[in-house]
Amino acid sequence: PLSTPAVFAEADRLGLPRSAREIAEKLRVVRAALAAGAAWPAELFVNDLEPAALSLCPAIGDALAAGREAGAEQAMVSGSGPTVVGVFGAEPPPAQPPLARAQAAAGALRSRFPGAVAVVPVDAEFAAVRELP
């Protein structure tokens, strides 16, 4: 287990925080790529807190490596950790669909990482604000 305050303190100690200007520029690049229908730029698929989480809990590195070995195109720490996320994107046919690949990977990883699950992202409709009845 990692506490969020401890991970942020470690990030500060390591000198990891980016400036607001750097973050705004990365956000602009991501939005432009997604608006054009391009894939998420791999070099921007990062969590700035990952090095701090790894510093405090080196075992996270094993989970990151296992996710990549299981076929995830990207693997990263979620939030301040220790949860690891693997992303399975669409591959050209006749490859399995991303969800099937993620489900197979989760099944293969479960013996080492009992909490391994496969999920799908929600769409904008799911996230829409609604009035309660």
Side-chain angles (χ1 to χ4, degrees), residues 13 44-45 65 74-75 110:
R13 187 188 74 75
L44 298 179
F45 198 89
Q74 300 284 344
R110 223 167 268 125

Side-chain angles (χ1 to χ4, degrees), residues 106-131:
L109 290 169
R110 223 167 268 125
S111 64
R112 286 180 54 205
F113 304 98
V117 296
V119 298
V120 296
V122 297
D123 60 15
E125 182 182 337
F126 178 87
V129 176
R130 295 175 189 78
E131 287 190 34

Side-chain angles (χ1 to χ4, degrees), residues 14-125:
L14 295 172
L16 298 178
R18 294 190 214 191
S19 70
R21 185 171 164 226
E22 288 173 297
I23 293 170
E25 176 57 21
K26 299 294 184 191
L27 181 58
R28 186 195 66 73
V29 172
V30 167
R31 285 183 173 158
L34 296 177
W40 185 281
E43 69 276 8
L44 298 179
F45 198 89
V46 297
N47 176 346
D48 291 342
L49 293 174
E50 187 171 300
L54 279 164
S55 174
L56 295 173
C57 184
I60 292 172
D62 294 338
L64 289 166
R68 291 182 189 107
E69 289 166 9
E73 283 117 34
Q74 300 284 344
M76 63 186 280
V77 171
S78 175
S80 58
T83 300
V84 169
V85 175
V87 177
F88 294 78
E91 288 187 354
Q96 287 183 312
L99 180 56
R101 291 179 25 246
Q103 289 170 327
L109 290 169
R110 223 167 268 125
S111 64
R112 286 180 54 205
F113 304 98
V117 296
V119 298
V120 296
V122 297
D123 60 15
E125 182 182 337

